[in-house]
């Protein structure tokens, strides 16, 4: 076998930006109020580059544009410019207002829980030979949550 056929594992990262509002009912601080953030999501994949001369994806773990399609459909189209609230919220918002994009989730929409939701949404659409290595969701310029497949906590 040609030594070029024995590619090492490579990690790819693509960054996505979106705006989203949320509230944390029952929180003991200001986050109990509806407020927004400019989120930054880093998606890191791992895999071996494809060895298939003549294939348009030759030498790639995954085409960045293919990852962009997944994240756009599963995350950005759902959460960008949305108000995210738990299903059992008691805020006075009208779910049928056409000017509001309200996304109801079955969890407290903290940065940590959003990250776990995003993990499931992305992971289920990746090709077999590519693994979701890690995610980082930056909620502010100084605060983020991170998940890694390497963690066994």
């Amino acid at each position: 076998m040609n030594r070029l056929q024995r590619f090492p594992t490579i990690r790819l990262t693509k960054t996505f930006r979106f705006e989203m509002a949320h509230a944390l009912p029952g929180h003991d601080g200001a986050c109990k109020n509806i407020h927004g953030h400019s989120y930054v999501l880093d998606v890191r994949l791992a895999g071996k580059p494809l060895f298939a001369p003549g294939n348009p994806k030759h030498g790639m773990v995954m085409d960045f544009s293919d990852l962009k399609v997944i994240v756009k459909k599963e995350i950005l189209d759902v959460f960008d410019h949305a108000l995210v609230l738990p299903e059992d919220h008691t805020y006075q918002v009208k779910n049928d207002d056409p000017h509001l994009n309200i996304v109801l989730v079955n969890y407290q929409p903290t940065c940590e829980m959003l990250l776990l939701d995003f993990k499931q949404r992305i992971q289920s659409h990746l090709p077999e030979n590519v693994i979701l290595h890690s995610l980082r969701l930056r909620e502010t310029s100084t605060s983020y949550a991170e998940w890694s497949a390497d963690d066994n906590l």
Side-chain angles (χ1 to χ4, degrees), residues 48-102:
K48 295 187 182 296
L50 176 66
F51 183 82
N55 184 314
K57 307 300 183 185
H58 175 61
M60 294 182 177
V61 172
M62 183 174 184
D63 192 322
F64 285 114
S65 65
D66 293 341
L67 176 58
K68 183 178 177 181
V69 168
I70 293 169
V71 173
K72 180 179 182 316
K73 179 179 181 237
E74 297 298 320
I75 311 298
L76 303 180
D77 288 351
V78 176
F79 294 95
D80 189 27
H81 285 81
L83 168 58
V84 180
L85 297 169
E87 294 169 335
D88 60 353
H89 75 87
T90 58
Y91 296 98
Q92 298 298 313
V93 293
K94 296 181 179 180
N95 292 355
D96 60 349
D97 185 333
H99 298 100
L100 291 177
N101 178 17
I102 299 174

Side-chain angles (χ1 to χ4, degrees), residues 7-22:
F7 292 129
T9 298
I10 301 291
R11 293 186 184 128
L12 303 177
T13 304
K14 183 147 180 66
T15 301
F16 301 89
R17 299 176 189 283
F18 62 100
E19 309 298 323
M20 191 188 86
H22 70 151

